[in-house]
Amino acid sequence: MIPASMIFYQQPIAELFKEFKSQKEGLTDSEAEKRIQEFGPNALQEKKKKPVWVLFLAQFEDFMILILAAAAVISGIVGDLTDTIIILVIIVLNAILGFVQEYRAEKAMESLKKLTETQTKVFRDGQPVTVQSKALVPGDVIVLEAGNMVPADIRLIETFSLKIDESSLTGESVAIDKISEHIAKESLPPGDQLNMAFKGTLVTNGRAIGLVLATGMKTEIGKIADLLQEDTPVTPLQQRMQRFGKVISYLILGICALLFVAGLARGEEMFQVLLLSVSLAVAAIPEALPALITIALSLGAGRLAKKNALIRKLPAVESLGSVTYICTDKTGTLTQNKMTVVQVDAEQQAGIDSEFSNLQLGMGLCHDVHLNPKGKPEGEATELALVDRILKDFSTGQVEQLVKKFPRVGEVPFDSNRKRMSTIHQFGDQYLVLCKGASESISVILKDKKFADEANLSSEKWAAKGERVLAFAGKLIPTLPLESEWKNLENDLEYFGKVGMIDPPRETVKVSIQECRTAGIKPVMITGDHPATAKAIADEVGIWKPGDLVLTGAELAKLNDEEFANQVEKVSVYARVAPEQKLRIVQALQQKGHYAAMTGDGVNDAPSLKAANIGVAMGIAGTDVSKEAAHLILLDDNFSTIVVAVKEGRRIYDNIRKFIKYIMTCNGAEIWVIGLAPFLGFPNPLLPIHILWINLVTDGLPALALAGEKPEKDLMNRPPRPPKQSLFAEGVGYHIVWVGMLMAGVTLFTQYWAIRQDWHWQTMVFSVLSFSQLAHVMAVRSDRTFLFRQGLFSNKPLLASVGLTMGLQFGVIYLPWLNDIFRTQPLDLIELVFCGGMALIVFHAVEMEKLVRGYLK
């Protein structure tokens, strides 16, 4: 019934009534019922969610978890129930952590639905009735009044001083004056379709009658909701852990199979060989790693919250370290979101008032600023800037006297056609007409056209510097005409002058932009402002550099995807951009292999925030939907906070890499020890419970403390790490192999020597492996800096965790009830000193690695 190609805002009302088979009196109840069957309810639809139990069971799909579960079952079959219980507890805890994260992840659709639940006055059978907005259908005729949420996408039939706040949809903070006439222009974004009202926006003034054109998922906000159903991009850490999980799983299976076949070939008992294979599987799987990563990310998120950056999706903490582009709004993020008058050009002429110049009269009187109960000025940003400027030259008392001296008796409000406003003030037995607006709108109503040309020319120069220009004019009249004739007063005016104002950059922004560039991150400005204003601010803060492109939304719309892809890396400023075009910018950068952060605050920003690798919502100016779709929320709406978050993300990734290097080195050592011992003719060196203890306690506590390691000094002087870079890049893999073999070497030598000396060899093997790992964690705190230069006490939680772990290990060695559980025996002083000496070999070897790395560089 509805032509897909029809552009509604261009059509006359009569044509739309014809196409929708409707009339001004509305639909009949029976016709409305038919249409709701055809079009469905006027509600946003969600794709079917997985049941809670399915989400929980999905946490057990990971291949490493399945191997660990198999190891638990086999361990129970061969009679080791303690190991089975411990392994199963670990598996369930990991599943609970993952389930909680996934269950809380997506709530954007719920916010959208809450945003659009309303009741509406609609004409049915020619009579106005109130219905649930979900019962509306295309062709309905509805009434809008101040305070109403617009229930559907409608074409306005009649408007009466109608203003609609579309900030939730377009990001435009000023309420829009609406009209009912059709518009001939083509390719207008929703924000410029002045005869349309869109679902989810708010009527702030006036009233209207409108024809419903689209409902539910066919509305503008419905299209956004549909985009929000798409899957969120996988973070770099998730990609790396998926690859890591596959590699380690196949490695474990291969080694276990080899060990099992070799044991059987040597004629060993099947259950013993099976127990050895289970021990190897338990040794190889880093059980604590998923929980440690979650805790590390949580700690990072906590630190960021204290710095005004609230993390909504935990993996995003680490993802910040891969960002190569930061696409940021201008207003309020790069700037202070406070217009400030920076230039005043008053025309020299006879003053109407002895104390105030004519321009100052215009600035002090021609506005709608008022004082709130606390005495603070409130009003539109540009008008507040005018009042602030007047208060720099005059006291509050003087300005109050001015208002009393020139009481307002009438006004002609601003509208989008005239682009100006006028106020009328009594002055003795005369009346003062004051008019302010854009230079081009004032120039056409001036008495002297010489001033008009000069004003326009100088205004263009100011605008080229990024300033918003307001011109003022006025005249004295002897009598006040009827209100219906007030618009005619806007002619033959005297030119009073003009002011230039800007929203100045935040003080910290320039330094943060430079820090971005040093870190290999390109900042890009995306704004709805005029290109000249955008470029001027971008130039001032360091975003725009000579040779960079400035692209407008209209120019972007004309480019096909291939043409845009060829330009996207050269553009540093996007001006007059519609929020929906942000999604295209994100996707173009991602296709070029970039990792993009995108800021936004409106409902229409939600798809780009969700599609971005890091979506950044504004905590102050942002809508609930944008916050739900984002990964990160700026509590202060400040660009510098994004840079702080990127720095923290890099620190977190560095620390995650350190404890992965630490844990995997230790696990590698365990694999070598268990795998090589039978081939060397040694008895099984470790029991499964020993390995679990090492993996959870000796590995876990110090690794957790590594998450709090301070950032390396060159953290923001490095380029962003490639998202596809392996966890084992930059020497991590080599370290895991050679240090793991060294640990295994000193452990197997301990077994050999202890057996020869008739010492408590298995307890010593267990202890040497534990102490070696504690020595290793102290050396692995930095890739470049020696421990004595870092300072032993520079990470007190780590020092405390090493002390606590050593105390627990001593408990396992010397407490009788723990001897029974762990099958250990107390060591004498010589045995203990020997174990400590073996562990120190590992520490000094890792410290020497730093010396070699420094020499090779």
Side-chain angles (χ1 to χ4, degrees):
M1 184 178 76
I2 303 169
S5 60
M6 177 173 277
I7 300 172
F8 299 130
Y9 69 84
Q10 292 180 337
Q11 303 301 316
I13 295 295
E15 186 65 28
L16 288 171
F17 274 134
K18 181 181 176 183
E19 289 291 344
F20 281 79
K21 297 180 180 176
S22 182
Q23 54 190 340
K24 194 172 180 180
E25 291 74 24
L27 302 172
T28 63
D29 280 334
S30 59
E31 179 62 25
E33 185 62 34
K34 287 178 187 175
R35 294 192 186 191
I36 206 162
Q37 296 299 321
E38 180 182 353
F39 295 102
N42 177 31
L44 301 179
Q45 308 297 317
E46 292 183 70
K47 66 180 180 183
K48 193 174 180 181
K49 288 185 176 180
K50 294 179 182 176
V52 171
W53 63 271
V54 172
L55 278 180
F56 183 72
L57 290 181
Q59 307 305 315
F60 298 94
E61 291 177 351
D62 186 87
F63 198 36
M64 285 172 58
I65 295 294
L66 294 175
I67 292 174
L68 200 58
V73 172
I74 295 169
S75 189
I77 291 171
V78 297
D80 206 333
L81 287 176
T82 304
D83 292 346
T84 299
I85 292 168
I86 293 172
I87 294 170
L88 291 176
V89 167
I90 293 164
I91 291 171
V92 171
L93 284 175
N94 277 334
I96 290 171
L97 276 171
F99 166 73
V100 169
Q101 285 301 120
E102 191 168 344
Y103 185 70
R104 296 173 58 192
E106 291 301 332
K107 295 204 175 175
M109 281 299 300
E110 291 177 22
S111 291
L112 278 167
K113 289 178 82 173
K114 287 176 186 173
L115 188 70
T116 56
E117 288 175 0
T118 57
Q119 288 190 326
T120 305
K121 188 182 289 185
V122 59
F123 288 97
R124 293 278 170 84
D125 292 317
Q127 299 298 316
V129 294
T130 300
V131 300
Q132 291 286 334
S133 64
K134 64 183 179 182
L136 294 179
V137 294
D140 265 329
V141 175
I142 66 170
V143 177
L144 291 179
E145 296 173 333
N148 288 167
M149 192 74 76
V150 179
D153 285 4
I154 69 171
R155 171 71 156 79
L156 297 168
I157 300 170
E158 296 177 7
T159 60
F160 307 91
S161 302
L162 183 69
K163 287 190 175 186
I164 296 182
D165 178 358
E166 296 183 338
S167 58
S168 63
L169 183 67
T170 66
E172 174 59 55
S173 58
V174 179
I176 306 299
D177 291 280
K178 292 293 184 176
I179 62 176
S180 57
E181 296 83 8
H182 71 275
I183 303 170
K185 292 180 181 178
E186 296 185 0
S187 304
L188 290 180
D192 291 336
Q193 296 175 20
L194 301 180
N195 57 10
M196 295 285 293
F198 298 101
K199 185 177 175 73
T201 59
L202 179 67
V203 179
T204 60
N205 189 72
R207 57 192 175 86
I209 297 173
L211 174 67
V212 174
L213 306 176
T215 58
M217 298 301 282
K218 298 297 184 182
T219 61
E220 289 295 320
I221 204 170
K223 294 170 188 174
I224 294 166
D226 196 41
L227 290 170
L228 287 174
Q229 307 284 350
E230 294 179 5
D231 293 333
T232 303
V234 178
T235 70
L237 183 62
Q238 289 170 325
Q239 292 171 2
R240 292 184 182 100
M241 290 309 297
Q242 286 169 3
R243 291 195 296 268
F244 168 75
K246 287 180 182 177
V247 169
I248 199 71
S249 299
Y250 291 132
L251 183 65
I252 291 165
L253 289 176
I255 295 175
C256 287
L258 182 64
L259 197 64
F260 185 74
V261 171
L264 291 178
R266 289 198 305 272
E268 295 180 17
E269 186 185 347
M270 177 182 280
F271 274 121
Q272 287 302 316
V273 176
L274 199 56
L275 185 58
L276 185 63
S277 299
V278 169
S279 299
L280 185 66
V282 173
I285 296 172
E287 296 92 348
L289 194 55
L292 282 170
I293 289 175
T294 300
I295 293 168
L297 295 174
S298 298
L299 291 173
R303 288 193 294 267
L304 282 171
K306 293 175 183 176
K307 298 173 183 176
N308 290 319
L310 183 65
I311 295 291
R312 279 201 67 256
K313 299 175 182 177
L314 213 50
V317 179
E318 176 273 336
S319 304
L320 287 160
S322 286
V323 168
T324 56
Y325 267 75
I326 298 178
C327 303
T328 175
D329 284 330
K330 177 182 73 69
T331 304
T333 308
L334 293 172
T335 63
Q336 297 175 21
N337 199 19
K338 182 183 178 183
M339 296 300 290
T340 303
V341 175
V342 291
Q343 282 200 86
V344 177
D345 180 22
E347 189 59 36
Q348 298 302 316
Q349 60 202 165
I352 295 170
D353 184 79
S354 59
E355 191 176 3
F356 291 81
S357 72
N358 289 349
L359 177 60
Q360 287 170 337
L361 285 178
M363 294 169 66
L365 295 171
C366 190
H367 58 73
D368 290 322
V369 173
H370 63 277
L371 298 179
N372 65 18
K374 296 182 180 178
K376 185 178 178 182
E378 287 185 349
E380 196 267 330
T382 54
E383 295 191 335
L384 283 171
L386 297 174
V387 174
D388 286 344
R389 182 66 180 82
I390 281 288
L391 290 174
K392 286 183 179 179
D393 297 327
F394 299 94
S395 68
T396 305
Q398 286 174 302
V399 175
E400 288 175 349
Q401 285 301 316
L402 174 68
V403 174
K404 289 178 182 178
K405 188 176 181 179
F406 292 85
R408 184 189 293 194
V409 294
E411 67 177 289
V412 183
F414 175 90
D415 68 48
S416 54
N417 292 325
R418 289 164 38 250
K419 294 185 179 177
R420 57 182 178 264
M421 75 170 286
S422 294
T423 55
I424 308 165
H425 305 263
Q426 190 166 0
F427 178 48
D429 58 356
Q430 301 182 82
Y431 294 90
L432 173 63
V433 177
L434 294 171
C435 189
K436 83 165 187 291
S439 287
E440 62 271 21
S441 71
I442 297 296
S443 64
V444 298
I445 56 174
L446 294 181
K447 182 194 297 184
D448 191 335
K449 294 307 171 185
K450 175 175 73 73
F451 286 124
D453 294 338
E454 290 177 0
N456 280 336
L457 188 62
S458 59
S459 295
E460 287 174 11
K461 291 179 181 177
W462 287 13
K465 294 188 292 183
E467 296 176 19
R468 181 177 181 182
V469 183
L470 280 181
F472 290 82
K475 66 180 178 181
L476 282 170
I477 57 174
T479 58
L480 185 64
L482 295 173
E483 185 175 346
S484 60
E485 298 175 7
W486 284 357
K487 277 192 180 182
N488 298 331
L489 294 175
E490 293 181 339
N491 59 69
D492 294 330
L493 303 185
E494 299 286 343
Y495 179 59
F496 286 174
K498 64 182 182 298
V499 298
M501 57 184 73
I502 62 168
D503 180 7
R506 290 178 181 263
E507 293 178 4
T508 55
V509 162
K510 286 185 184 179
V511 174
S512 298
I513 294 292
Q514 185 53 49
E515 198 170 3
C516 277
R517 292 192 176 278
T518 304
I521 302 167
K522 183 171 180 178
V524 171
M525 177 195 288
I526 303 177
T527 179
D529 264 352
H530 190 279
T533 305
K535 182 183 173 184
I537 294 292
D539 188 16
E540 185 177 351
V541 300
I543 287 180
W544 183 86
K545 297 289 183 185
D548 288 354
L549 297 180
V550 177
L551 196 66
T552 66
E555 291 168 339
L556 175 56
K558 293 176 183 177
L559 298 175
N560 61 38
D561 289 344
E562 186 179 349
E563 290 168 336
F564 182 41
N566 292 333
Q567 291 189 31
V568 69
E569 293 175 307
K570 302 171 188 173
V571 181
S572 62
V573 177
Y574 295 90
R576 285 282 191 259
V577 170
E580 57 268 24
Q581 289 180 309
K582 286 184 173 185
L583 181 59
R584 192 176 174 198
I585 295 169
V586 167
Q587 291 170 339
L589 288 170
Q590 289 172 335
Q591 286 166 8
K592 283 287 187 177
H594 290 290
Y595 209 75
M598 173 68 75
T599 68
D601 54 17
V603 171
N604 220 15
D605 289 326
S608 62
L609 293 178
K610 181 161 179 150
N613 302 100
I614 297 290
V616 183
M618 302 296 113
I620 299 172
T623 58
D624 287 345
V625 178
S626 66
K627 292 173 188 176
E628 289 291 350
H631 307 83
L632 171 69
I633 299 172
L634 302 184
L635 301 180
D636 57 1
D637 291 11
N638 190 343
F639 177 85
S640 298
T641 304
I642 305 176
V643 181
V644 169
V646 168
K647 187 174 183 178
E648 184 64 35
R650 290 190 175 193
R651 172 192 177 185
I652 289 165
Y653 180 73
D654 267 12
N655 291 344
I656 287 175
R657 220 169 59 103
K658 285 171 187 173
F659 67 62
I660 285 176
K661 178 161 65 169
Y662 167 61
I663 288 173
M664 291 312 300
T665 300
C666 301
N667 283 35
E670 293 163 24
I671 292 170
W672 286 114
V673 168
I674 293 169
L676 289 177
F679 292 99
L680 295 174
F682 298 163
N684 190 5
L686 294 165
L687 300 174
I689 196 168
H690 296 158
I691 299 164
L692 280 171
W693 174 266
I694 291 170
N695 285 359
L696 294 175
V697 180
T698 312
D699 287 358
L701 292 175
L704 183 58
L706 274 177
E709 194 66 47
K710 292 178 180 177
E712 303 272 358
K713 290 180 180 178
D714 67 341
L715 191 68
M716 292 299 280
N717 293 330
R718 311 177 204 158
R721 65 181 184 278
K724 293 184 179 179
Q725 185 187 67
S726 167
L727 281 167
F728 305 110
E730 298 179 342
V732 172
Y734 294 115
H735 178 95
I736 289 171
V737 172
W738 85 261
V739 179
M741 292 182 72
L742 176 64
M743 275 190 196
V746 298
T747 304
L748 289 169
F749 176 76
T750 298
Q751 183 177 14
Y752 162 75
W753 190 255
I755 291 172
R756 284 196 60 178
Q757 301 299 318
D758 199 24
W759 289 345
H760 302 106
W761 66 266
Q762 193 166 56
T763 303
M764 289 181 70
V765 167
F766 179 27
S767 299
V768 166
L769 206 49
S770 295
F771 293 151
S772 295
Q773 295 183 4
L774 295 178
H776 179 228
V777 80
M778 295 303 294
V780 85
R781 287 177 54 193
S782 173
D783 292 337
R784 306 165 183 81
T785 309
F786 296 112
L787 179 62
F788 76 89
R789 284 186 180 161
Q790 280 184 288
L792 192 63
F793 297 96
S794 58
N795 187 342
K796 291 177 183 174
L798 178 62
L799 195 63
S801 71
V802 169
L804 175 61
T805 306
M806 286 187 70
L808 292 171
Q809 186 67 27
F810 284 137
V812 169
I813 296 170
Y814 292 109
L815 293 177
W817 64 277
L818 287 176
N819 291 158
D820 293 339
I821 294 173
F822 287 89
R823 297 167 211 171
T824 52
Q825 297 163 305
L827 302 178
D828 61 31
L829 184 60
I830 294 175
E831 291 171 327
L832 192 61
V833 169
F834 185 89
C835 291
M838 290 293 102
L840 285 175
I841 293 173
V842 175
F843 172 79
H844 289 295
V846 176
E847 288 287 271
M848 287 299 294
E849 181 190 34
K850 298 173 188 176
L851 186 65
V852 172
R853 284 169 68 103
Y855 177 76
L856 292 176
K857 284 188 177 180

